[in-house]
Amino acid sequence: MRNSRTLRLLAGLVCVGTAIAACGTSSTSSSNAGGAGFTPPKLEPMAQLGQPEGALNVLAWPGYAENGSNDPNVNWVTPFEQQTGCKVNVKTFGTSDEALNLMKTGEYDVVSASGDASLRLVASGDVEPVNTSLVPNYADVFDFLKNKSWNSVNNVSYGIPHGWGANLLTWRTDKVQPAPTSWSAMFDPNTPYKGKISGYDSPIYIADAALYLMKHNPELGIKNPYALDDKQFTAAVDLLKQQRPLISEYWSDYLKESQAFKNGDSVLGTAWQVTVNVTQGEGAPLQAIVPSEGATGWSDTWMVATKSQHKTCAYKWMDYIISPKVNAQVAEYFGEAPANSKACGQTTDATFCDTYHASDSAYASQIYYWTTPIAQCLDGRTDVQCKDYGDWTRAWTEIKG
């Protein structure tokens, strides 16, 4: 298994003055089309491929660009090098903000950006529009991942979808009965599982509380769990403060959370599908669902650096990494749904895509993908100001105590 996607969203960049708008992403679930609520720098996509430049600097989440150094049997970089002549240098990162800072150095050609980072990269001009016609395998990407708010602006594509997943309600079936169907199992102050609940360790976890309130307290008027005015934000923060005594641990390393589920320190919590698979594989009776309220989640995108000196190699990498066989390999190794519809016919586990709901657009539509909160409300309101990620970060410190 891959190394943990450690501290994926631990802290957001705090934006000041007019730069606040440049930190934004927009929108929530997979049903929303691209449009960010800001005007990105005017940049043109690559018109045509040239001769491969012979080199490529890849910035990626651990597990997305394996070259055999972690496991000699897991290597999709070397075949790419052999096919294209592009010598690949891979740098992994542990948080989205680390990726943002590294991209500003101009040293990297492509980056695998999550939804909390992708449009910040667009707004800052660190990545440029992508000419999808130069990526043949893009044609086979699931339509519900294309032209979305986290990978496009005003219907202009800024990247190539890679993989996605949900933050699931997860429990030990031998300890939690009856089986929960709602996030209430984690937020009810009278839960019998007090001190045995795990929550995600990031300011973005506030969105999970907001999503819960959106369904259970409609009078708050929450339409987007990443667009919270003062009253809505206070309610979400208060809910998490109320939940705090119930929490056994906040996790950022899925393997550590898996261990907690195995040894019984946690019996209920939010987790990724890969956590469920690993834990079940080691004998613990674990189950997970997207509950009645829906769930937060992620959708990752390969993006091209504006300052890249190796753009032909960058495009060849994007086409290669989402090709059916390689996208299947990455998805299985990493633990997420692949983006390429033909990847499902290439997985070693014939049931893999069913487990991860890879082709299920209805399932995907229940997910509110991570996005960066900004002062300009992402739900379209103009009569109020929303809390930005700096506010979320400060509140998260208070919540954890």
Side-chain angles (χ1 to χ4, degrees), residues 12-37:
L13 291 177
V14 179
C15 306
V16 295
T18 58
I20 252 181
C23 288
T25 51
S26 70
S27 186
T28 51
S29 73
S30 61
S31 61
N32 296 322

Side-chain angles (χ1 to χ4, degrees), residues 159-223:
I160 304 299
H162 173 91
W164 59 279
N167 300 315
L168 302 168
L169 176 60
T170 307
W171 69 96
R172 289 264 310 225
T173 58
D174 59 337
K175 303 291 185 181
V176 178
Q177 297 173 351
T181 60
S182 163
W183 289 113
S184 296
M186 287 186 60
F187 288 111
D188 184 351
N190 297 313
T191 177
Y193 311 111
K194 179 179 180 180
K196 297 285 187 177
I197 297 174
S198 61
Y200 190 53
D201 190 1
S202 168
I204 209 70
Y205 184 55
I206 294 172
D208 291 59
L211 176 60
Y212 178 81
L213 292 171
M214 186 166 72
K215 306 297 183 179
H216 291 269
N217 295 65
E219 68 276 6
L220 287 169
I222 299 174
K223 304 298 183 186

